[in-house]
Amino acid sequence: MKTLSAGTSRPYTIHIASGLLARAGELCRNALPQAEKLALVTDSSVLPLYAGPLADSLEAAGFQVRCLIVPAGEASKCPEQLVVLWEQMMQFGMTRTDAVVALGGGVVGDLAGFAAATLLRGIDYVQIPTTLLSQVDSSVGGKTAIDLQAGKNLAGAFWQPSLVLIDPDCLNTLPDQAFSDGMAEVIKYGCIRDRAFFDLLDACGGRAGVMEHIEQVLYTCCDIKRRVVLADERDTGERMVLNFGHTIGHAFELAGNYETWTHGQAVAAGMNWAAQIGVGLGISPPEAVEPIQNILQKYGLPIDIPCPWDTLTNAVLRDKKNLGKRLHLIVLEALGHAVPYPVTFDQLLEQLEAMCGR
């Protein structure tokens, strides 16, 4: 079992190993010695795959478990579903010593984590991610959120988990498109912090190659994110680099009403745009663009997504990295090293106009 320690304001441990789901009860009991009740939040797709065995393991460790099911899909990450979870958790009789367990992908992790962050002014929660994207990204770092009509992840809280359990065996049931979506975030880590890792992914060439190295891949991604978060837990400086491709990517998601394009697809195209905008700003080397385009296409990810001009500019103006009249755009100083680069809105609009051929 590979283990990482995250010494944040609420320290926790990340465990990575095949078959870890069967040991969840024991590991949760060690991390939550006072808890009696666990609200197991999952979605309608994951429920028949993993909820039963996980609940059995948790109950064998002495927990009282109630399964709370949300509809699968991004639409569940909304204020209405958050209220439903709050009410169900209170009907369960949860107290401040009890905890939430998030079993699923990024939607479940974000939603259940935000419910835990806000219920009774904050209770413990455990992340058990079942998709590649959530295993390498959203389950680590303590960002929890829901979407608003104005945009993605605009209401949320920083709330670190008590434990993260990553079982790569859960990826065996993941459809190819979902695996491809997760690879966008995996590739991102190579782009922003580790050129050698980027080259390994390029050499793997596809899902089968990645699965031959899956524990190393998961460990590398989580370790990069852990180190970045430890340096900037509240996302005011270095942590912004984790959003490489996301500023434009969120606009692409919004353009498709969060239905046409997945998060991974949007981030992939967003990374291609960010790489080219970085070149336009004179920060990024032109030779970084083609390798990024090639690896994204190798993993079945788009490098461009159609987006109406008004949607694009409105999403950028609402970006959470906006500070005053400036936006911190994440650009590459080199392939394998990203930095937050402050630009005015006029500077960024000029680059977007060039990208759109306006």
Side-chain angles (χ1 to χ4, degrees), residues 161-321:
S162 302
L163 179 67
V164 180
L165 302 179
I166 300 176
D167 188 341
D169 289 350
C170 293
L171 302 179
N172 293 333
T173 56
L174 203 62
D176 284 339
Q177 181 177 315
F179 191 91
S180 177
D181 291 343
M183 283 305 302
E185 294 286 359
V186 174
I187 293 165
K188 176 196 75 178
Y189 286 110
C191 290
I192 67 172
R193 279 295 181 265
D194 193 333
R195 176 59 191 268
F197 183 56
F198 182 95
D199 291 340
L200 170 66
L201 299 172
D202 194 37
C204 285
R207 179 172 184 166
V210 169
M211 289 304 295
E212 290 178 5
H213 303 273
I214 190 60
E215 290 196 13
Q216 177 188 351
V217 168
L218 296 174
Y219 182 91
T220 300
C221 294
C222 290
D223 189 37
I224 291 172
K225 183 161 189 180
R226 175 189 68 94
R227 286 186 277 115
V228 171
V229 170
L230 289 180
D232 176 26
E233 185 174 344
R234 305 291 291 189
D235 203 13
T236 59
E238 183 181 354
R239 183 170 179 166
M240 292 182 185
V241 301
L242 296 171
N243 286 316
F244 177 59
H246 286 61
T247 297
I248 309 300
H250 286 164
F252 292 152
E253 286 185 274
L254 186 60
N257 295 313
Y258 303 109
E259 295 176 354
T260 306
W261 305 102
T262 66
H263 179 70
Q265 289 171 329
V267 167
M271 288 193 289
N272 175 44
W273 277 49
Q276 295 184 67
I277 290 172
V279 173
L281 291 169
I283 305 301
S284 304
E287 59 269 21
V289 175
E290 187 175 353
I292 291 174
Q293 293 178 339
N294 288 342
I295 196 172
L296 292 174
Q297 291 174 315
K298 188 176 288 189
Y299 284 94
L301 291 161
I303 60 174
D304 195 21
I305 287 175
C307 184
W309 178 252
D310 288 345
T311 301
L312 179 62
T313 54
N314 287 337
V316 167
L317 291 174
R318 291 193 184 106
D319 191 277
K320 298 183 294 301
K321 294 179 291 301

Side-chain angles (χ1 to χ4, degrees), residues 84-144:
V84 170
L85 285 183
W86 280 336
E87 295 293 355
Q88 289 176 328
M89 289 174 185
M90 294 313 299
Q91 290 168 7
F92 186 30
M94 297 183 73
T95 71
R96 296 189 69 181
T97 59
D98 296 321
V100 174
V101 175
L103 174 70
V107 169
V108 167
D110 279 1
L111 176 63
F114 191 31
T118 46
L119 188 77
L120 301 174
R121 297 193 175 92
I123 63 175
D124 289 331
Y125 77 110
V126 174
Q127 288 275 20
I128 305 182
T130 59
T131 65
L132 180 59
L133 194 151
S134 60
Q135 289 184 349
V136 301
D137 190 65
S138 57
S139 66
V140 176
K143 279 188 176 180
T144 69

